[in-house]
Amino acid sequence: MGGLNLDFDYTGFADAGNIESLQALQKALTAGSGVDAGSFTGGRALIPESLDNTLVNILWSQDEAKLFQSLKKQPIKSPVHQWDTRTGVGSADGAWVPEGGDSEEADQTIERKYMTAKYLQTLRKVTLQMSISNSIEDAMTLEQNAGTLWLIRNVERGLFYGNSANVAEEPDGLIAQIPASNVLDLRGASADSASFEDNLTEGMRIIRNNYGKGSLFLGSTMVMKDFQKLIKDRLRFEAREAGLGATVFDKYPTPFGTLDIKDDIFIQEGNTPVASVLTSKRPGQPTIGSATSPVDATANFASGDAGDYVYKVVAVNRYGDSVASTEAVVTGVAAGDNVTLPVTAGSPVPTAYKVYRSKKGGASGAEVRYAFTVPYTGSPMDVIDRNWDLPGCSDVFLLTMGAVYDAIEWFQFLPMMKFNLYPTNAAVYPFLMLLFGGLGLKKPVEHIRIKNVSPSNLGWF
């Protein structure tokens, strides 16, 4: 009977002989199921608690850091790493000669490039009492694992959004390093549109023309959702079966190579202002003066964008974000205008400003979404929105990852490590979790950024 121990003389609780079983069941059902151990009384106080001997982690794992996992790790021996890049082998003029003819001299062109390692570290502590207590898991191991997750989160975000012009201590990520010639602008279309498909093919063509071969597609989870919808509508190539008859497309073929399609939870869109918890070190709240909308030939506000907008500005430094400014409503923005926000810094002063904006016709500051970041140059300063970066949108990256192209690496100065500190005046075990390095985009023209990709459910553009 499948290992069950059944009593075939059992006749149910109604039988007088089973009254003890009925009473036991009733006691168990009324013993309680609270989780505040200090309030347990009666039979509930006698019930042992079951403690799982593992921590249930609801956060990210190392596997979620898709880009960092995919990068070749290159150990370096100095915080400033240099390499040479050949950008030319000489003009093709005079290449063909007659029999016995003279050859024209041709010179190669070599440029020196460098990357400065940045330092990512977090201080962790475990008390003496906790280290020797019989806890769910070893306290030191738990804290070390938490520190590792913290490093993974910050390095993966830095690989996309890091910008030393905004925060000097950050490494330069993909957005900062991919040249403007390799940035395609979707202008608020979603990943389930024909425009997105056209931009993918065009991006792969640009990479190929620069002697690379795109192989990795990285986008947000919303982009992945929309892109899967687009591919299913096309059904032009075989899908991978994902169980129960479902299909998942993890590759996308183009005339210029096939992309591995991956979502990355650290690429996000639709962010709203959130102040740092480091209240004593974050920059002070900025204020916005009287905004204007002058004519600007470089602005991308078109006739369809004419209207009213709501703005908030957040000050930034290496410790995090400030409390957002009060909202500023800008009315009557016309085609060919920009929006100029005079911003005064609080104290401490920031190193950059984040700009949050509503959709056209927004009514309150509750509607603003992240649009762009600009370096701080002084106070007061004019923060200018030319509608180049649309709020609530995200980026898609097409990267040349093949080892033969040697186009991108993570340069790592020392391995990721735990660095023990000496206890001073407290019974604690302090230590640092460390990761030193930076992103080396050795061939920037062999990578593509598609910006202003809107989630299909945003409905702003």
Side-chain angles (χ1 to χ4, degrees):
M1 296 295 292
L4 295 176
N5 185 12
L6 299 180
D7 182 1
F8 290 99
D9 294 327
Y10 171 71
T11 56
F13 288 126
D15 185 84
N18 288 291
I19 191 64
E20 292 181 0
S21 298
L22 176 60
Q23 290 173 343
L25 175 63
Q26 289 175 329
K27 182 176 180 180
L29 292 174
T30 58
S33 59
V35 293
D36 182 3
S39 66
F40 292 171
T41 60
R44 181 71 182 101
L46 299 176
I47 296 177
E49 295 179 74
S50 174
L51 294 178
D52 192 346
N53 63 354
T54 60
L55 176 70
V56 179
N57 182 36
I58 64 170
L59 302 175
W60 57 91
S61 69
Q62 188 170 343
D63 290 338
E64 261 83 55
K66 300 291 179 64
L67 179 53
F68 192 58
Q69 282 283 335
S70 301
L71 288 174
K72 174 188 174 184
K73 311 301 190 298
Q74 176 66 41
I76 59 177
K77 297 181 179 180
S78 170
V80 179
H81 181 66
Q82 303 181 67
W83 67 93
D84 292 327
T85 299
R86 179 186 289 117
T87 58
V89 292
S91 170
D93 295 338
W96 301 94
V97 300
E99 181 180 350
D102 295 334
S103 299
E104 299 297 324
E105 183 178 357
D107 293 327
Q108 63 178 327
T109 304
I110 296 177
E111 296 180 8
R112 176 63 56 90
K113 302 291 185 180
Y114 73 94
M115 186 280 308
T116 302
K118 302 294 183 175
Y119 311 113
L120 185 60
Q121 59 189 52
T122 177
L123 173 62
R124 302 281 164 163
K125 296 178 181 179
V126 176
T127 66
L128 171 65
Q129 294 88 339
M130 193 65 198
S131 69
I132 61 177
S133 297
N134 184 20
S135 57
I136 295 176
E137 273 194 4
D138 177 70
M140 187 65 73
T141 300
L142 283 178
E143 196 61 41
Q144 182 174 323
N145 289 345
T148 301
L149 290 176
W150 185 93
L151 292 177
I152 290 169
R153 176 185 66 186
N154 283 279
V155 72
E156 187 75 359
R157 284 180 177 172
L159 290 174
F160 298 114
Y161 303 112
N163 192 326
S164 59
N166 297 329
V167 178
E169 294 79 11
E170 290 181 350
D172 286 330
L174 291 174
I175 293 176
Q177 294 193 54
I178 292 176
S181 59
N182 282 45
V183 178
L184 305 179
D185 192 347
L186 207 60
R187 301 306 301 164
S190 56
D192 57 0
S193 66
S195 177
F196 182 75
E197 190 172 31
D198 290 342
N199 274 262
L200 278 186
T201 303
E202 174 63 7
M204 293 290 282
R205 185 196 67 80
I206 292 172
I207 292 174
R208 198 72 196 99
N209 275 8
N210 287 310
Y211 312 110
K213 191 172 184 180
S215 57
L216 178 61
F217 167 114
L218 287 173
S220 73
T221 55
M222 191 67 203
V223 164
M224 176 64 84
K225 176 184 173 184
D226 290 341
F227 190 40
Q228 290 289 312
K229 189 191 309 180
L230 172 74
I231 301 175
K232 288 177 182 178
D233 286 344
R234 299 295 192 267
L235 290 177
R236 295 180 302 194
F237 51 92
E238 183 179 356
R240 172 175 61 85
E241 186 173 342
L244 299 178
T247 55
V248 174
F249 298 90
D250 55 9
K251 295 186 182 299
Y252 182 76
T254 76
F256 311 104
T258 298
L259 287 163
D260 289 331
I261 307 171
K262 294 184 180 181
D263 64 274
D264 195 299
I265 62 174
F266 296 99
I267 301 175
Q268 297 182 348
E269 61 268 289
N271 291 343
T272 56
V274 178
S276 166
V277 298
L278 297 175
T279 56
S280 63
K281 297 181 178 180
R282 71 188 184 197
Q285 181 183 24
T287 56
I288 303 177
S290 298
T292 58
S293 52
V295 174
D296 185 342
T298 66
N300 277 348
F301 281 102
S303 57
D305 304 312
D308 303 339
Y309 293 90
V310 182
Y311 286 85
K312 285 187 177 182
V313 173
V314 171
V316 179
N317 66 11
R318 73 183 183 93
Y319 298 107
D321 294 359
S322 74
V323 174
S325 69
T326 55
E327 64 189 55
V329 180
V330 184
T331 59
V333 179
D337 291 349
N338 72 38
V339 174
T340 300
L341 306 170
V343 180
T344 301
S347 180
V349 297
T351 58
Y353 287 122
K354 289 181 180 178
V355 178
Y356 294 78
R357 196 187 90 192
S358 73
K359 63 180 178 180
K360 183 179 74 171
S364 75
E367 300 177 37
V368 299
R369 300 292 183 271
Y370 173 76
F372 61 92
T373 302
V374 294
Y376 172 79
T377 58
S379 182
M381 67 172 279
D382 286 340
V383 174
I384 300 176
D385 177 18
R386 295 183 171 89
N387 205 32
W388 292 346
D389 299 289
L390 301 179
C393 296
S394 64
D395 299 279
V396 167
F397 301 94
L398 312 179
L399 306 177
T400 298
M401 303 297 292
V404 66
Y405 296 99
D406 196 23
I408 184 172
E409 289 180 345
W410 169 261
F411 294 122
Q412 187 153 312
F413 181 59
L414 303 178
M416 184 170 70
M417 66 174 67
K418 172 190 172 189
F419 186 82
N420 291 318
L421 301 175
Y422 191 78
T424 54
N425 60 352
V428 297
Y429 294 107
F431 62 93
L432 298 175
M433 295 295 298
L434 309 172
L435 180 63
F436 303 154
L439 178 65
L441 218 59
K442 301 173 74 174
K443 298 179 183 177
V445 295
E446 293 185 6
H447 310 283
I448 290 289
R449 173 192 173 201
I450 304 176
K451 74 173 189 174
N452 292 328
V453 184
S454 174
S456 59
N457 62 358
L458 185 63
W460 283 14
F461 309 106

